[in-house]
Amino acid sequence: MVIDINKLTKAGKFVSEFSCEKVFDENLVDLPNASIKGGVKVYGTVTIEAKKVYIDGYVEYTVAGECSRCLEPAEHKTVEPLNIRFVQSSPEEDDYLYKSGLVDLTQAVKETVLESMPFAIHCKEDCKGLCPICGCNLNVKSCNCEK
């Protein structure tokens, strides 16, 4: 997830579109029995101004696992905005550093994924879950247990 700023400026490109994808290890997802399906996609625009580089785009990923209500297979797609600034020195609070003309998006993308990760995934928005008494899947059939 590295953008070569030197290569872009030598080609006279100070605004350029980019896209990349990375597969992170399983520890990134904190949900039980869940993982990121495929990789994390990042796309957008890189803008180079003097000694600052601006990244405006999106981080996209899908978490696959079990529905937290009924335990059936479920997926949750997330598309999160990514607006960050890279500087060569003296970073402010939300800035990232870059060196040797290379902007490495890995840490910023990882932080974005962690901050936007869902607390639970559901097979469908109106999932009824499992009966707390007999355990039947209430999406499939009703039970006669007392509520």
Side-chain angles (χ1 to χ4, degrees):
M1 299 190 122
V2 176
I3 299 172
D4 189 339
I5 301 305
N6 292 332
K7 187 176 178 181
L8 290 174
T9 55
K10 283 179 185 173
K13 294 183 178 180
F14 296 95
V15 177
S16 181
E17 294 195 5
F18 73 94
S19 67
C20 51
E21 187 170 338
K22 180 170 178 66
V23 176
F24 288 97
D25 70 26
E26 297 292 320
N27 297 333
L28 192 60
V29 179
D30 202 21
L31 294 170
N33 302 316
S35 61
I36 293 178
K37 181 179 176 181
V40 175
K41 297 177 183 94
V42 183
Y43 53 92
T45 304
V46 56
T47 304
I48 305 163
E49 292 181 4
K51 295 185 179 195
K52 296 178 182 172
V53 176
Y54 298 90
I55 304 293
D56 297 299
Y58 297 92
V59 174
E60 182 178 314
Y61 63 94
T62 300
V63 176
E66 295 176 341
C67 174
S68 65
R69 294 180 184 153
C70 71
L71 305 179
E72 292 294 320
E75 291 185 355
H76 179 84
K77 182 177 180 178
T78 299
V79 179
E80 190 71 18
L82 181 68
N83 300 298
I84 52 178
R85 180 172 67 179
F86 286 84
V87 296
Q88 288 182 330
S89 62
S90 305
E92 294 179 18
E93 185 176 335
D94 293 333
D95 292 344
Y96 292 86
L97 284 174
Y98 76 97
K99 295 179 184 176
S100 305
L102 300 174
V103 169
D104 188 350
L105 299 173
T106 306
Q107 186 61 35
V109 169
K110 191 174 186 177
E111 290 172 9
T112 300
V113 169
L114 289 170
E115 291 170 2
S116 65
M117 185 69 60
F119 293 111
I121 57 175
H122 303 112
C123 60
K124 56 185 181 178
E125 195 172 310
D126 62 343
C127 176
K128 297 175 184 174
L130 302 175
C131 172
I133 298 169
C134 71
C136 83
N137 186 338
L138 299 173
N139 296 307
V140 178
K141 66 176 187 171
S142 297
C143 62
N144 294 321
C145 297
E146 289 185 31
K147 303 291 181 207

